[in-house]
Amino acid sequence: MGIKTTKHKSYILFLFIGIMLLGASCNTTRQVPEGQYLLRKTSIVFKSSHKISRKSEIKDNLARIQAQKPNTRFLGIVPLKLLLYNSRRKKYRDDTTNFQLRSKTVEKPVIFDTSMLRRSAQDMKSYMYNQGYFYARITDTFKYKKRKAYVTFKVMPGKNYLVDKVNYTADDSLVAKIANNAAAETGLKSKKEFTMSMLEEERSRITTLLRDHGYYRFAQDNVTFVLDTVNKAMFRDVENPFEGAADFIKHQQDNKDPTVTINVVISITDDSAVYTRYTVKSVRVFPDFLNNADLHNTDVLIHKQQHDIDFFYHKYYINSNVLYQHMYLLPGKEYTQSDYDKTITKLNELGIFQYIRIVFHEDTANNNMLNCVIEMDRTKKHDFSLNLEVSNGSTYTLGVSPSVSYRDRNFAHGANLFTATINFGLETIYDDNLGTGFFNDFYIITRYYGFNTSLDIPKFLAPLPASLFNNSSLPHTIFSFGYNLMDRNITGITTNIDSLQSASADYFTLINTSASFAYNWHQSQTVTWSLSPAFINIIRLPRESAAFQRELDSNEFLKNTYKQTFIEGENLTFTYSDLEKKRGKNYSFVKLGIEESGALLSAVNSLGTALNNLYNINYSQYTKFDFDTRHYFTFPNSTIAVRFVGGVGFPYGQSQTLPYIKQYFVGGPYSLRGWRIRTLGPGSYYNPADQNNINVIDRTGDIKLEWNGEYRFFIANIVAGAAKLNGALFTDAGNIWLTHADPSYPGGDFQFSTLGQDIAADMGAGIRVDIASFLTLRMDVAMPIKKPYVFTNGGFVFNQIDFNNPTWRANNIIFNLSIGYPF
């Protein structure tokens, strides 16, 4: 009977939603003047007999450049902004400068205008031409239905031209030689689909190439192109032009792709000094530049000289040698664009300047010499930041984790970045049966304390020689130290703990003391490496309750997980990101890491054994492999983000499991959001007694696989446009496993045969508030849709969903409040 009632309520709910949507649809045309039509929809249809590459991208761009677009629709269904406008239409008509109108929180009805069709078709044809479809045709049709207009653009692109050959000519023999010697670097590759943007990229490449050879005055205007789209081979008989014309028509009709020959022409134009090669004569640097008066009053500034470079300060706040080591424009060197770019990049990378400007003046006595001035505006030396995470879960009511960070960007006057962070966290439960008032019913079950520092030095320190890396690698040496404490015990906030029935949650205090040093460097614009030759962690449990000791005695996995140990090892991380290269469009991120611990200490222990058992160190031995891959599909007002992340650890020797701080977990605001952090797994293991039980020990494992998908979309501008309100729909899937079977966790070890059953999944929705592109507040609500420990329906639990049931909501609805995107 309960199931039927739930289904009946669902039918009523869907019927109600349908009626609301129908009513909303009718309401959209209520304010459209008589004889006019609301632009309801525009469609773009391709008609072609052959495959069109990048079809989705081209279609999105064509939709974007239309002269008239329909009103936006929330989730593609409800024209929410139009409905909001219609609800207060008189106010918006009278107040055209209204904030809601200016911030586009509401939208006027888009009245269909046939004159816009021709403009849209012309813009579309121009776009197709720029994509290499030189003879594309665009037609439009429209129809009216119930005071709404529906427009269809038919795109007949024809064939995209392919690059055939590229020829370089110049009115200077040396310039022509340089261009032809570097021809292999062009992006205009034979058989590649031609677009006009390729010409702009080639123009920039040629300009940079010649400026890298000292041609300081060479500009993009000195590069032009001549395109030849006629295949000369088709005109075999010059005496019979009619035969040639027939061959051309036949070529257009057959299945051969048309080609274009590109002639790159390099010329002087109006500047006779374009082909003059320049050398840097002098360099002056102003690290705290105020205005142009500094350039003429250097006698009142602090003067420092470093290797023929003059530094002028108002206040000597940064060591001039540090700046010199990050400069490539040096007296006596031939000017190159690469040296200019690397100087800007390296000085910016120090993180102590708001802007850097490089100005060149041609020397009046030598017409091929440059005087260089570098002007810099220093940023604030100190800053503080606050981070806050709030969440709830099935084993606690409210979790709060604030942290405060301090940064000194110019520590010891060496552009060294010193960071210190203090964090504190609480997990609490609420039960109105335990206390005598609202605040008396809250109890703290877990506390976190942490203090972490790091010192980032913008160069390599011994034992790695700087000669191993090129000048553009942006090297860093990073030293770090941390002290973190986790306390698992129950404390009443305002009442005595004796009022709590389950006092056995008093478990342990765990302290992790860590230290490391690492090297970071950029191999290229997209590739970064991090090498830590040595790191240590000292895990101590200064307090263990009798209840917790009983847990350890009866559970071999927990006993090995929480034992006191010493970790010493090294790791290497590779990171690839083309975010900057792709300019934030359809970009990818890949991070791969390998970590080893115990090899060195094994040798040290062997020496102690050889010396009549002089000493014996309790240490961890393991090897870990981690990966994090992401891709972002970007659209005009939305993004689809997907992530596949995980890792596997192989304990060996003295270790039966990974140490607690190195183990994997899932759940929480940055993982499977339908579960509270560290409450899922391993595998299909499940203990019904753990439901709403504060005594549950964290679920961790040696293996992790996780997939996340999120559709992010823009909703509205708020706070006078200073913030954006964005929404998200998401789903997460994954779990953790043990590398070795353990009787305490049946079904917890990794098996390919049960992988499908072991995967957990959730779905949810969220709101994000992006404040001035600086801070993002995120609120997510999620629920499980597949539980690995449910062995019916493949683990899917859609049939159990019951939003009307408070017990179901308490056990399944997870709310997360945090800062920043999950990935």
Side-chain angles (χ1 to χ4, degrees):
M1 178 65 70
I3 296 177
K4 291 182 178 180
T5 302
T6 302
K7 289 183 177 180
H8 181 65
K9 291 180 178 179
S10 300
Y11 293 147
I12 294 176
L13 176 62
F14 286 123
L15 179 62
F16 175 75
I17 293 174
I19 293 173
M20 291 295 292
L21 291 177
L22 180 61
S25 175
C26 297
N27 188 49
T28 57
T29 59
R30 194 170 61 185
Q31 304 306 318
V32 175
E34 191 66 31
Q36 296 183 334
Y37 298 87
L38 178 74
L39 180 58
R40 171 61 181 86
K41 184 179 181 181
T42 60
S43 303
I44 297 174
V45 178
F46 284 84
K47 185 178 181 181
S48 177
S49 59
H50 58 276
K51 183 179 179 181
I52 302 173
S53 63
R54 301 184 296 114
K55 183 176 180 180
S56 296
E57 177 188 342
I58 292 175
K59 190 173 183 179
D60 288 339
N61 289 333
L62 289 175
R64 189 183 309 164
I65 64 176
Q66 291 178 52
Q68 192 176 38
K69 306 178 186 67
N71 291 103
T72 58
R73 290 180 171 259
F74 180 68
L75 299 181
I77 302 173
V78 181
L80 182 60
K81 294 182 180 181
L82 173 58
L83 296 176
L84 292 174
Y85 177 89
N86 286 342
S87 67
R88 304 178 69 191
R89 59 194 178 282
K90 292 183 180 179
K91 175 179 175 59
Y92 296 130
R93 278 203 303 261
D94 297 337
D95 182 9
T96 57
T97 61
N98 186 274
F99 164 71
Q100 282 83 6
L101 285 172
R102 288 186 290 106
S103 63
K104 297 183 179 180
T105 306
V106 300
E107 290 179 351
K108 295 180 181 179
V110 178
I111 306 301
F112 177 53
D113 183 353
T114 55
S115 66
M116 293 290 187
L117 295 178
R118 181 176 179 83
R119 177 179 162 188
S120 293
Q122 290 175 338
D123 291 344
M124 289 180 178
K125 188 172 183 179
S126 296
Y127 171 79
M128 295 300 293
Y129 182 89
N130 289 331
Q131 298 305 305
Y133 295 91
F134 293 152
Y135 301 103
R137 294 174 56 205
I138 312 290
T139 62
D140 60 77
T141 59
F142 60 90
K143 63 180 180 179
Y144 298 130
K145 183 179 179 181
K146 296 181 179 179
R147 303 190 66 192
K148 297 178 184 178
Y150 297 80
V151 177
T152 300
F153 291 99
K154 183 183 293 184
V155 181
M156 292 158 280
K159 288 190 176 181
N160 187 203
Y161 275 71
L162 305 181
V163 176
D164 183 18
K165 293 185 296 184
V166 182
N167 303 315
Y168 295 89
T169 60
D171 48 8
D172 181 271
S173 59
L174 180 57
V175 169
K177 182 179 179 181
I178 293 172
N180 281 286
N181 287 344
E185 300 174 7
T186 181
L188 299 170
K189 302 295 184 183
S190 179
K191 305 303 180 184
K192 187 175 182 179
E193 291 186 348
F194 173 80
T195 66
M196 287 295 181
S197 61
M198 294 168 64
L199 299 184
E200 293 305 314
E201 293 172 3
E202 179 68 1
R203 180 178 277 116
S204 296
R205 186 188 73 84
I206 293 294
T207 303
T208 300
L209 172 68
L210 291 175
R211 288 172 69 89
D212 267 346
H213 283 77
Y215 296 99
Y216 164 70
R217 296 185 69 116
F218 193 89
Q220 293 194 15
D221 291 342
N222 298 113
V223 182
T224 57
F225 302 93
V226 177
L227 305 183
D228 187 355
T229 61
V230 178
N231 189 342
K232 301 297 190 298
M234 291 186 295
F235 295 90
R236 299 185 303 273
D237 188 353
V238 295
E239 300 297 329
N240 187 348
F242 297 103
E243 179 183 345
D247 289 339
F248 180 78
I249 294 173
K250 181 178 183 300
H251 177 79
Q252 293 289 74
Q253 293 175 343
D254 65 23
N255 291 324
K256 293 181 180 179
D257 293 315
T259 60
V260 56
T261 297
I262 302 171
N263 299 297
V264 184
V265 181
I266 304 171
S267 58
I268 288 180
T269 62
D270 298 331
D271 188 355
S272 59
V274 163
Y275 291 151
T276 299
R277 300 177 75 170
Y278 286 82
T279 299
V280 177
K281 179 182 179 181
S282 68
V283 179
R284 295 192 300 164
V285 182
F286 296 82
D288 49 357
F289 183 79
L290 294 181
N291 50 54
N292 287 336
D294 290 352
L295 304 176
H296 308 291
N297 298 308
T298 56
D299 54 328
V300 300
L301 301 177
I302 301 172
H303 178 224
K304 300 287 182 180
Q305 191 170 47
Q306 197 79 34
H307 301 282
D308 297 328
I309 294 181
D310 295 303
F311 294 82
F312 298 95
Y313 297 83
H314 288 277
K315 180 180 179 181
Y316 188 57
Y317 73 99
I318 173 70
N319 191 316
S320 57
N321 186 52
V322 172
L323 298 179
Y324 174 80
Q325 291 175 355
H326 291 74
M327 294 171 56
Y328 300 91
L329 291 167
L330 304 175
K333 285 186 65 177
E334 184 178 71
Y335 167 85
T336 71
Q337 182 68 35
S338 296
D339 285 344
Y340 173 91
D341 293 339
K342 286 193 291 186
T343 298
I344 291 246
T345 299
K346 291 277 284 183
L347 290 174
N348 265 319
E349 198 265 342
L350 290 174
I352 60 174
F353 303 113
Q354 286 190 3
Y355 78 83
I356 297 169
R357 181 168 176 251
I358 300 180
V359 181
F360 293 98
H361 303 280
E362 295 186 41
D363 193 75
T364 54
N366 300 279
N367 59 6
N368 66 336
M369 304 293 286
L370 295 172
N371 295 311
C372 174
V373 176
I374 303 179
E375 304 165 356
M376 295 176 272
D377 180 20
R378 60 187 291 190
T379 190
K380 292 192 301 181
K381 175 179 169 65
H382 310 282
D383 73 39
F384 291 87
S385 61
L386 174 67
N387 188 45
L388 175 67
E389 291 183 14
V390 180
S391 62
N392 82 318
S394 58
T395 60
Y396 68 95
T397 303
L398 180 66
V400 181
S401 180
S403 64
V404 178
S405 295
Y406 161 77
R407 294 195 303 173
D408 182 341
R409 293 189 176 93
N410 190 27
F411 183 76
H413 302 286
N416 307 308
L417 176 62
F418 174 79
T419 304
T421 301
I422 299 175
N423 61 283
F424 170 70
L426 291 176
E427 291 178 0
T428 66
I429 60 168
Y430 175 84
D431 191 331
D432 57 11
N433 294 320
L434 300 177
T436 57
F438 179 78
F439 291 103
N440 293 339
D441 296 334
F442 275 97
Y443 292 86
I444 300 171
I445 60 175
T446 306
R447 296 179 180 84
Y448 305 92
Y449 308 91
F451 174 71
N452 297 276
T453 64
S454 67
L455 179 62
D456 187 335
I457 302 172
K459 63 180 179 180
F460 281 120
L461 299 181
L464 282 183
S467 59
L468 291 178
F469 306 92
N470 60 46
N471 289 334
S472 61
S473 60
L474 305 178
H476 287 259
T477 303
I478 303 172
F479 297 91
S480 61
F481 171 81
Y483 181 89
N484 293 274
L485 180 147
M486 180 174 69
D487 195 31
R488 289 293 301 270
N489 72 302
I490 288 186
T491 303
I493 293 181
T494 59
T495 61
N496 192 290
I497 191 64
D498 293 338
S499 64
L500 191 63
Q501 300 171 1
S502 266
S504 61
D506 182 11
Y507 276 138
F508 62 85
T509 298
L510 184 148
I511 298 175
N512 172 28
T513 306
S514 61
S516 70
F517 82 94
Y519 300 107
N520 287 353
W521 69 96
H522 292 267
Q523 178 180 321
S524 65
Q525 182 186 17
T526 57
V527 175
T528 304
W529 293 88
S530 178
L531 170 65
S532 179
F535 68 85
I536 62 171
N537 294 89
I538 304 173
I539 308 299
R540 296 185 295 120
L541 277 82
R543 184 184 64 84
E544 298 178 26
S545 70
F548 183 60
Q549 187 60 54
R550 288 192 296 270
E551 289 274 358
L552 299 184
D553 292 341
S554 62
N555 190 316
E556 192 67 22
F557 176 79
L558 289 180
K559 183 177 181 180
N560 289 305
T561 295
Y562 286 95
K563 71 178 181 179
Q564 300 189 126
T565 188
F566 183 80
I567 306 172
E568 187 282 330
E570 56 285 329
N571 56 50
L572 177 67
T573 303
F574 163 88
T575 304
Y576 170 87
S577 174
D578 59 4
L579 170 64
E580 182 178 347
K581 182 178 180 180
K582 294 286 189 67
R583 298 178 182 178
K585 295 182 179 180
N586 298 320
Y587 58 96
S588 300
F589 174 90
V590 177
K591 186 174 184 179
L592 307 174
I594 180 172
E595 179 172 303
E596 185 279 332
S597 175
L600 177 61
L601 290 180
S602 178
V604 174
N605 245 12
S606 298
L607 178 61
T609 302
L611 296 173
N612 295 322
N613 296 318
L614 181 63
Y615 58 82
N616 182 52
I617 305 174
N618 181 19
Y619 62 95
S620 292
Q621 292 179 282
Y622 64 85
T623 301
K624 281 183 66 181
F625 301 91
D626 298 284
F627 66 89
D628 184 350
T629 61
R630 312 173 191 178
H631 188 74
Y632 300 84
F633 302 90
T634 57
F635 304 97
N637 290 302
S638 62
T639 298
I640 296 176
V642 293
R643 176 177 69 166
F644 183 43
V645 61
V648 55
F650 299 100
Y652 67 94
Q654 292 194 26
S655 300
Q656 299 301 310
T657 68
L658 296 178
Y660 174 76
I661 63 168
K662 299 293 182 178
Q663 288 181 331
Y664 300 102
F665 60 88
V666 288
Y670 300 95
S671 182
L672 271 73
R673 284 160 279 186
W675 277 267
R676 199 266 296 183
I677 188 170
R678 296 186 177 92
T679 60
L680 176 64
S684 61
Y685 170 76
Y686 177 67
N687 183 356
D690 293 342
Q691 187 73 17
N692 295 326
N693 186 353
I694 62 174
N695 299 336
V696 175
I697 298 295
D698 294 345
R699 300 282 183 247
T700 56
D702 304 317
I703 301 172
K704 172 182 173 178
L705 293 175
E706 181 181 329
W707 179 89
N708 313 92
E710 188 164 290
Y711 172 62
R712 303 166 181 170
F713 51 91
F714 171 77
I715 297 177
N717 291 309
I718 57 177
V719 195
K724 292 182 178 180
L725 182 65
N726 297 319
L729 301 175
F730 59 83
T731 180
D732 311 301
N735 208 334
I736 54 170
W737 294 266
L738 310 180
T739 53
H740 305 296
D742 189 289
S744 300
Y745 298 99
D749 58 316
F750 184 87
Q751 299 287 341
F752 280 106
S753 60
T754 60
L755 180 60
Q757 175 63 42
D758 289 349
I759 295 296
D762 65 55
M763 63 184 297
I767 294 293
R768 291 93 166 87
V769 181
D770 290 335
I771 304 174
S773 299
F774 172 73
L775 178 67
T776 301
L777 300 177
R778 176 166 58 97
M779 294 161 283
D780 289 333
V781 178
M783 66 179 183
I785 59 173
K786 183 180 182 300
K787 299 179 179 180
Y789 43 84
V790 174
F791 295 94
T792 58
N793 298 323
F796 288 97
V797 292
F798 290 106
N799 60 330
Q800 299 179 9
I801 296 176
D802 187 359
F803 292 104
N804 294 326
N805 189 326
T807 302
W808 180 90
R809 294 197 303 269
N811 294 336
N812 292 276
I813 300 296
I814 304 297
F815 171 77
N816 292 289
L817 174 64
S818 54
I819 293 178
Y821 283 86
F823 58 93

